[in-house]
Each structure stands twice: as structure tokens, then as C-alpha cells.
């Protein structure tokens, strides 16, 4: 086990000095076709496992980390807004790398690249399964074979999500900080009188009618993992730094347990968020979907292992949520933001 510098601030995970991660509820995409970026529907609440030692499963106490409540077949994306220092972030789904499709190693690799680079990567909505596309993160129970973990490894024993952050090595990090200090002084001297534009990532809509997701509910206490949902247009950016620029030692890591709503009530005594909004109602209301483009970024090649992952509908049945076509005015272009002018979380054995 490595030294760990992971904290919670509200519903945001802070990993070391450079990485901020929020888990965002979103519309589940149809499993056919390729779609625009869906909107954010608010944050998932986060709680530390160690704060509920008498009610969490014993195996969770050994792994430590955090937990969040998620409905069967609910979709999510990871927001990295607020991450400032350059960092290499590994994202695992059941200890399968969501970028390379290889088994989790806990070490950085360039061939194939097994991490995203922050803050260049503003968010991640799914597994790197296509050229310029990802397949959406969707929650499913373990034991059916529907998870990415089950399809890639042939086993479903881990579940959840895993995150590990590597900072720049000492010399590149010191040089980057000095450059940022110099730029900040220049901006303070020459900045314009008007305030900078606001970049909020995906927009969050007003409250909407709720509809239960398709599929039978998992058994009480069932472990949850990540399956593959619909395909969307999203690039996973190639690292343009030298490999030696990154530290060999991770600064922080965390295991994220996915909890069913009944288990969330039992463990925490809190009410989980309601079932996710119906996407047809969202679209009929004229609310936005998104496109993101970074002219300076280079898309990674898709993972062969992840390209073969089948969507969760193969196990849970057809997606009965109707698809409502978008009007052109509902698609909002987004670009990269300008340069940017809690309690610790226990780690465990996983």
C-alpha cells in the first residue's frame, strides 16, 4: 500500500495537490448509434467508508475509500473541473483500465497509455472503446457478466471504480509551478477590466419528472460494477509530455464503492437521490446537449479489449426509454477553459 493523500470536500474527491473529481449523474444514452455529450443532472453524494464501520460490509472496510449511491442501469460521468496541477490519473472499472482495457497495474504506461492527463482531459464519460468515441459508464450488478470487468477478465470479483493520481516528477513540477507564478504576476499586471468567461462543463437542468430505469432491481446487498452503455462523441487525449516527466510514485489513490439505494439507506441512514430523469422529457423541454472540441488535443487509439465490450442491454434487456431527436439549437459547443488564474480518506488493500 502506498502513501495516500485523498480527501473529501463536499462531494468532491481531492487526490493530492492536482486532482479534483466529481461523480455526475446523467441521462443514459441509447445503446445504438453515436450521440452528443449528455448533460449533468447533479452530483452523486460521497461518503467515507470509515465513517460507517458498523454498517458497511467487512470487505469494504478492508479496502477503505468512499461510496456513492447509484440506481441499476444509471449512467454517470467523471468531472475533473478544478484540477489545476498537471497530473496523470488512472481510472479503473473493476480494476480494468478504462483507457487501455488492460488489467490494473497501478503503474503508468505509455504503450498503451493507461491514464488521462489533467487538466487537458476535462471529463470522462466512459470506456475508450472507439475512435473519437467512448461507451458510457453504466451501473450494473456483479454476477451477470454484464460489467466491463466480467467481459474483459472473465471474472467479476472487484466491482466499483478505482482512481490513482501521479503528479509531475519533482523538477518538472517545480518548473511548472514557477512558470505559473510568473504568469499569475503578468495577468495581475495586465488583465482586462472585464471578468473572464465562466466555464461550467455540462449544464444541470431544473428539476424534472422522474422515471424508474429499466431492468430488474439487484438483490439487497448486491455488489455493483460498471458496464458499457451507449456510444458518444468524446476524445481521450494523448499525453504530449515525456514519460520521465511523471513521478514513479502515486500521490493518492481511492476505491469507489457503488451502493444500491436500499443499501445506502441501511448503511448511512440517508435517502439516496431519486431515480434519474427520463431523457425524452429532458429533450422535449428543449434543454441542452453538448459538443466539446480541443483543437490542440490528439485522440488516443481505442482499446481493442474495450472495443469488444457489449452494452448492458445484452444482459438486462432492451432499453425501453424512448429516443427523442434533438433540435439543432439544443446542441451547445464547449471548448477548453482558459488557464486557471476536507477530511482524509483511508486507503486499504485492493
Amino acid at each position: 500500500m502506498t502513501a495516500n493523500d485523498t480527501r473529501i470536500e463536499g462531494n468532491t474527491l481531492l487526490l493530492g495537490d492536482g486532482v479534483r473529481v466529481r461523480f455526475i449523474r446523467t441521462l443514459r444514452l441509447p445503446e445504438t448509434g453515436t450521440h452528443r455529450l449528455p448533460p449533468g443532472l447533479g452530483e452523486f453524494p460521497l461518503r467515507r467508508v470509515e465513517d460507517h464501520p458498523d454498517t458497511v460490509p467487512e470487505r469494504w472496510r478492508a479496502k477503505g475509500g468512499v461510496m456513492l449511491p447509484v440506481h441499476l442501469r444509471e449512467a454517470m460521468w467523471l468531472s475533473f473541473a478544478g484540477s489545476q496541477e498537471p497530473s496523470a490519473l488512472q481510472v479503473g472499472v473493476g480494476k480494468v483500465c478504462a483507457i487501455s482495457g488492460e488489467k490494473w497495474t497501478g503503474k503508468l504506461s505509455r504503450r498503451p497509455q493507461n491514464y488521462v492527463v489533467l487538466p487537458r482531459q476535462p471529463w470522462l464519460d466512459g470506456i475508450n472503446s472507439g475512435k473519437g468515441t467512448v461507451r458510457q459508464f453504466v451501473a450494473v450488478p456483479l454476477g451477470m457478466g454484464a460489467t466491463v470487468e466480467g467481459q474483459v477478465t472473465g471474472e467479476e470479483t472487484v466491482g466499483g471504480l478505482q482512481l490513482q493520481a501521479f503528479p509531475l516528477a519533482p523538477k518538472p513540477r517545480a518548473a511548472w509551478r514557477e512558470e505559473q507564478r510568473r504568469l499569475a504576476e503578468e495577468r495581475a499586471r495586465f488583465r482586462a477590466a472585464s471578468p473572464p468567461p465562466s466555464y461550467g462543463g455540462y449544464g444541470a437542468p431544473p428539476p424534472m419528472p422522474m422515471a424508474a430505469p429499466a431492468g430488474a432491481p439487484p438483490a439487497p446487498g448486491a455488489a455493483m460494477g460498471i458496464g458499457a452503455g451507449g456510444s458518444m462523441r468524446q476524445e481521450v487525449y494523448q499525453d504530449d509530455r515525456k514519460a520521465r516527466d511523471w513521478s514513479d510514485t502515486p500521490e493518492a489513490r481511492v476505491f469507489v464503492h457503488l451502493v444500491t439505494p436500499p443499501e445506502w439507506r441501511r448503511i448511512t441512514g440517508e435517502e439516496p437521490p431519486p431515480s434519474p430523469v427520463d431523457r425524452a422529457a429532458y429533450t422535449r423541454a428543449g434543454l441542452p446537449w453538448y459538443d466539446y472540441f480541443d483543437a490542440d488535443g490528439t485522440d488516443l487509439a481505442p482499446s481493442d479489449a474495450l472495443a469488444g465490450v457489449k452494452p448492458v442491454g445484452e444482459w438486462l434487456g432492451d432499453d425501453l426509454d424512448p429516443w427523442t431527436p434533438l433540435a439543432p439549437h439544443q446542441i451547445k459547443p464547449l471548448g477548453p477553459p482558459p488557464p486557471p488564474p476536507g477530511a482524509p480518506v483511508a486507503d486499504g488493500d485492493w
Side-chain angles (χ1 to χ4, degrees), residues 29-35 135 229-231 311 319 323:
L29 296 175
E31 293 176 0
T32 57
T34 300
H35 304 277
R135 275 203 173 271
S231 179
D319 187 348
W323 173 246

Side-chain angles (χ1 to χ4, degrees), residues 72-253:
L72 172 67
R73 218 167 178 172
E74 184 173 7
M76 72 168 63
W77 52 275
L78 310 184
S79 169
F80 309 132
S83 300
Q84 296 184 2
E85 292 211 348
S87 301
L89 180 68
Q90 293 181 310
V91 180
V93 288
K95 294 185 74 171
V96 171
C97 178
I99 310 305
S100 70
E102 298 192 345
K103 285 190 176 183
W104 181 274
T105 65
K107 297 182 182 298
L108 297 183
S109 170
R110 294 290 278 268
R111 296 185 180 180
Q113 183 175 313
N114 65 354
Y115 57 94
V116 292
V117 180
L118 308 186
R120 160 53 61 80
Q121 191 79 36
W123 44 66
L124 185 67
D125 286 67
I127 60 173
N128 179 33
S129 58
K131 185 174 177 57
T133 64
V134 301
R135 275 203 173 271
Q136 197 171 35
F137 293 133
V138 175
V140 289
L142 301 187
M144 301 177 64
T147 62
V148 176
E149 173 189 356
Q151 294 186 59
V152 172
T153 70
E155 298 180 334
E156 290 183 317
T157 59
V158 180
L161 287 150
Q162 298 77 41
L163 303 174
Q164 182 162 254
F166 290 77
L168 288 172
K171 287 185 177 179
R173 196 178 199 184
W176 182 87
R177 286 177 171 176
E178 174 59 27
E179 176 67 7
Q180 296 306 300
R181 185 195 63 77
R182 185 186 63 80
L183 291 174
E185 289 181 351
E186 289 184 0
R187 286 195 295 269
R189 288 196 301 268
F190 302 113
R191 66 174 176 259
S194 58
S198 173
Y199 291 81
Y202 302 150
M208 296 285 291
M210 298 296 173
M224 300 282 279
I226 293 293
S231 179
M232 75 183 74
R233 298 173 187 173
Q234 184 173 110
E235 294 182 330
V236 179
Y237 294 117
Q238 182 175 309
D239 187 3
D240 57 6
R241 289 183 175 273
K242 297 180 175 63
R244 64 174 179 270
D245 282 355
W246 299 111
S247 171
D248 293 330
T249 305
E251 194 168 32
R253 70 175 199 163

Side-chain angles (χ1 to χ4, degrees), residues 323-339:
W323 173 246
T324 301
L326 307 179
H329 71 272
Q330 289 180 263
I331 302 167
K332 307 297 183 185
L334 299 173

